[in-house]
Amino acid sequence: VMRLIGELSAPSSAVFHDAVTAHYPTNNIRPGGAPFISGSDDYASLWANHAGFDTTAVRNFGVGVHVDRRGRRLIVDERPGSKATPAVCRGKDVVLFVESEKSG
């Protein structure tokens, strides 16, 4: 899917999505009855290697992202502690928010 998005997207495109770490699917969590079948600890490398997106921010959804329902907006924490690097993710169960951009 990432390869296809890379092929179809124009320079200066962006993509964002939620995701889970590599360890997360081992918990057999089934949202809406559908199990998580995979995850990754390094979405930045995946977007770069498979789709040509060269700037990626990965954040711990529970720490670095907040939905302001009253204000109808998403608040993204830019502080270093909200970043979910591969070392931070490895072996942990974390829900992630991924933003990736392709240079123009």
Side-chain angles (χ1 to χ4, degrees), residues 7-91:
E7 291 173 3
L8 294 170
S9 59
S12 300
S13 292
V15 63
F16 65 93
H17 61 92
D18 60 342
V20 295
T21 55
H23 190 267
Y24 200 91
T26 65
N27 294 307
N28 200 28
I29 296 171
R30 305 170 73 83
F36 288 103
I37 58 172
S38 67
S40 175
D41 295 337
D42 194 357
Y43 285 96
S45 289
L46 291 175
W47 279 110
N49 294 333
H50 297 290
F53 284 67
D54 51 356
T55 304
T56 300
V58 181
R59 292 179 181 82
N60 178 332
F61 214 113
V63 176
V65 181
H66 173 72
V67 177
D68 176 2
R69 295 192 190 285
R70 180 173 291 243
R72 302 181 81 171
R73 62 188 179 136
L74 190 66
I75 299 170
V76 178
D77 187 342
E78 299 292 340
R79 292 177 293 182
S82 71
K83 303 261 192 256
T85 64
V88 167
C89 292
R90 194 167 297 112

